Structures are given as structure tokens and as C-alpha cells.
Amino acid sequence: MDIYELVRGPLAWVALIIFVLGSLYRIAYFIFRGKKETVLDSAGSSLNAARSILHGLIPFATTDMRRRPLFTVVSRLFHLCVVILPVFLLAHIVLWYESWKIQWWSLPDGPADIMTLWVMAACVYFFLRRLLIPEVKQVSRPGDIGLLLIILLTFLTGFLAYHQWGPYRPVLILHILSGEALLVVLPFSKLGHMLYFGFSRAYMGAEFGQHLRARDW
Amino acid sequence: MQKWRLAKLLIIGSIIGGLAVWTNSAAQEAEYNLAHRDIFGSLRRAPVRFSHEVHSETLAQDGCGVCHHVADESSGKPVYVEGEEQGCQECHLRQEDHRKPALREAYHGSCTVCHRRLIKSKRPQYGPSTCGGCHKKQSNENPSG
């Protein structure tokens, strides 16, 4: 079978199905396994939970973000780019129309290029942090470096394929394969914070805001 | 006598020269760039080098209706009418119009979808199926695809 057809067709379906079902499973797991503490006057302020989520979303709204401005800027823009780029890139929109006849607004190519460069530079920055900053190094596992490498590979190969630099077809196939690998591991790895960051922030807000009266953010 | 020889040389020379120009223009017609800057404005991808000759030879058994169609007057569905072959840009506009796909989608729907169909049906000759396979940047004339 033609390798491009294989990664563009059946493997893309496998990756998408694992991503969607895996994500639903993880979210359902968190919702149904979460229990209220069986103590008198247990913590659980929905208002504080919502406030914590909101503060986590707004740039520089938390003390931690204000203490590390460089990390905040690099990380915030990185997160915006990794979500916006795959959804609004022209090449992807053309493929979605070809497969499902759905279409929406596409990013201009120049800004998309800059955003891709930002993502790649941010991956190198995150890699160096895990390597050089003691408190980050301490909580880093080989798998974390692996995740960073897959993200870097996905965006690097996409960048090279767009510019048609290097051997086009193998680079494009590698781009699709690494993107599919990301979709597959997302619900089952640390990348899953895309799905459940709200749960952890809500927990912290509810827990610390109620009794300690602490604004954890 | 000298003058007559010179005249003969000039006549033969102009016939050969004329033939060279004619064959060259015929070759240019057989393969040309699809760009449609008048419709798309500035292009976001490289123009597509297209050979009508290669397509009509490769798809001879499938017929011209593989690519060429007009809207049926009663149903509006695309049908092939012999003698009414025309380029996509004659009907398809920049934007989608009453369920008639936009020009870009019409091209992709014909070219890419057909190339992929040929690959799936294991035909010995098929066209590119990737973006860069057709939209080749000038600095990279040969991305196999």
C-alpha cells in the first residue's frame, strides 16, 4: 500500500478514534471517580473552583506567572500556537474539506510560519529548563523529553514540508505520523493536561480557598 | 546563381525556423501553469504545472467526462456533454455558489481525489496526491509526491 495513503487514511482514523475515545474516557474517569471527602464541613466551594480556573487561564493572573515572566510569555504563546495552528492552518483545512466537506477561516501563511517557529523555539526552551533548572530537572522523566521531541518533530516537519525543504514526501509522511503519535499519547500522558487542567485547578481553588482562605493563585 | 542559392537557403531556413517556433508553441500548449491570479489574487501556494496531453492519454479509457462536466439544466448535477469541454474556472468562482464548489475545492476535488482513487485502484499511472506534489515551489522542482 502507498505509505502516504496509509498514514493519511487508516492510521489517521485510528489516531483520531483513540484520541476522542481516550479523551472521553479520561474526562469521564475524573468526573465519576472524584469523591467528596467524608469529613465534617468538607471543602468544595464551586465559586473558588471557578475563580481558580479563571486565574489559571488569564496570563499573569497568578503569583507564579508573575514571578516567572519569561516562562509565562514563552509558555502562554506556545499553548496558543499549538492549539490554533493545527486547527486553522490552510493545508489542514483543505484536507478536512477533502475528507468531510467542512471548512472554516484559515490563518495567513506568514503569521502561521512565525507561530511554528515560536513553538519550535519554545520546545528547545522547555528542554533546556528540564535539563538545567534543578527543581524542574527533579520532576522530569525521560518520557517528558520524549513528549517534547514528538511535539518538536511534528512542527519541524510541518515547517519543512510547507517550505518544501528537504525530501518532501518522507518529511510530509513523518509530519503526519508524528502528529498522529501526539493524538494517540495525548489522553494517556502528561499532555493530557489539555483535558484535565481544569480539574486540578478547580481542586486547588476549592480546597485552599475554603478553609485556609488562601488565594492559591 | 549566387543570389538563387542565397534565396534557397533563406527559404529553407525560414521553414525550419517556423517549424521550430510552431512545435515549441504546441509543446507549451500541451503543458501549462494553472494559477488563475485573476480569480485568486495573490497565490498562497505555487502554481500547478499541468499537462493536458499526459492526462488525456492516461485517462483515454475513462473518457473526457472524468474531468470535464457542465451543470445539468434540470437537476443541476454535473454531467458530461461532448463538445462542451471547458476549464474549471469557466463556472467555478472564488467562493462556493449555490452548492457549486469554489474553484480551489473544484480543482482539489477533481485532481487530488482522482489521483488518490487511481492509487487505491492500483492503476500503474497516477498523479501526485500530496500538496507539494502538485504545488511545487520553483526552488524545489522535483518533490516526488
Side-chain angles (χ1 to χ4, degrees):
Chain A
M1 191 183 187
D2 182 85
I3 302 176
Y4 174 75
E5 280 303 314
L6 180 72
V7 297
R8 162 94 172 82
L11 286 187
W13 271 115
V14 170
L16 269 177
I17 290 169
I18 293 176
F19 169 68
V20 172
L21 293 183
S23 300
L24 288 175
Y25 166 75
R26 293 292 282 181
I27 291 169
Y29 178 87
F30 274 97
I31 291 172
F32 293 116
R33 287 296 293 271
K35 279 183 268 179
K36 218 168 197 182
E37 285 171 294
T38 50
V39 291
L40 200 66
D41 191 23
S42 62
S45 155
S46 303
L47 178 68
N48 281 334
R51 286 170 76 191
S52 177
I53 293 174
L54 186 71
H55 276 84
L57 288 173
I58 300 169
F60 294 103
T62 69
T63 311
D64 186 55
M65 281 192 252
R66 287 195 290 273
R67 274 188 193 148
R68 294 179 295 161
L70 176 67
F71 175 74
T72 302
V73 171
V74 173
S75 169
R76 282 293 144 145
L77 288 175
F78 166 85
H79 282 90
L80 272 179
C81 292
V82 289
V83 173
I84 291 172
L85 274 170
V87 180
F88 294 103
L89 203 75
L90 175 66
H92 296 181
I93 287 173
V94 165
L95 292 181
W96 276 315
Y97 185 84
E98 193 184 304
S99 298
W100 298 327
K101 296 281 178 286
I102 49 170
Q103 203 169 32
W104 49 78
W105 176 85
S106 72
L107 270 172
D109 297 323
D113 231 19
I114 294 166
M115 289 164 78
T116 310
L117 286 169
W118 187 276
V119 169
M120 290 193 280
C123 282
V124 174
Y125 172 76
F126 294 144
F127 176 72
L128 291 175
R129 264 172 56 84
R130 287 200 180 277
L131 220 63
L132 301 174
I133 298 177
E135 63 266 32
V136 186
K137 194 178 173 184
Q138 223 165 23
V139 292
S140 295
R141 300 283 175 274
D144 301 328
I145 307 291
L147 290 177
L148 267 181
L149 283 178
I150 309 178
I151 299 170
L152 181 62
L153 186 68
T154 307
F155 284 82
L156 175 67
T157 48
F159 183 75
L160 292 175
Y162 167 68
H163 288 283
Q164 297 182 10
W165 291 336
Y168 178 74
R169 200 177 160 85
V171 165
L172 183 68
I173 289 169
L174 199 57
H175 171 65
I176 301 171
L177 271 176
S178 47
E180 286 164 355
L182 273 182
L183 284 178
V184 168
V185 299
L186 195 142
F188 310 104
S189 65
K190 280 189 183 174
L191 296 182
H193 69 270
M194 174 182 156
L195 306 168
Y196 46 75
F197 83 97
F199 291 102
S200 45
R201 281 215 72 85
Y203 174 75
M204 285 193 299
E207 185 77 0
F208 294 101
Q210 181 99 340
H211 294 305
L212 299 175
R213 307 268 172 232
R215 283 159 53 98
D216 189 49
W217 49 87
Chain B
M1 199 63 187
Q2 282 281 342
K3 274 183 187 172
W4 174 235
R5 279 178 72 180
L6 195 69
K8 268 206 296 190
L9 269 173
L10 274 173
I11 292 165
I12 292 167
S14 38
I15 290 171
I16 292 171
L19 268 173
V21 169
W22 179 75
T23 49
N24 190 34
S25 64
Q28 276 177 352
E29 269 180 30
E31 190 175 319
Y32 46 90
N33 272 339
L34 296 173
H36 304 305
R37 284 190 176 83
D38 52 330
I39 297 170
F40 291 123
S42 61
L43 301 179
R44 295 184 64 179
R45 291 296 183 273
V48 173
R49 197 93 188 118
F50 177 80
S51 166
H52 189 266
E53 200 178 345
V54 167
H55 283 82
S56 50
E57 278 173 13
T58 311
L59 300 167
Q61 64 185 83
D62 305 81
C64 306
V66 176
C67 302
H68 294 289
H69 54 252
V70 288
D72 183 62
E73 279 180 16
S74 55
S75 66
K77 286 181 177 170
V79 288
Y80 173 63
V81 179
E82 199 175 345
E84 286 189 36
E85 295 88 358
Q86 51 192 359
C88 307
Q89 76 282 2
E90 301 297 330
C91 296
H92 295 274
L93 310 170
R94 188 173 177 176
Q95 302 293 337
E96 188 178 324
D97 178 40
H98 295 98
R99 297 178 68 198
K100 185 170 67 185
L103 183 58
R104 185 181 75 191
E105 278 62 53
Y107 268 121
H108 290 156
S110 284
C111 306
T112 325
V113 170
C114 184
H115 293 173
R116 293 185 68 201
R117 190 169 46 79
L118 294 177
I119 293 170
K120 280 175 190 158
S121 57
K122 299 197 180 348
R123 286 271 284 264
Q125 279 179 293
Y126 50 84
S129 53
T130 62
C131 310
C134 291
H135 297 277
K136 290 175 184 167
K137 288 197 174 177
Q138 282 184 339
S139 56
N140 189 14
E141 278 294 320
N142 299 307
S144 56

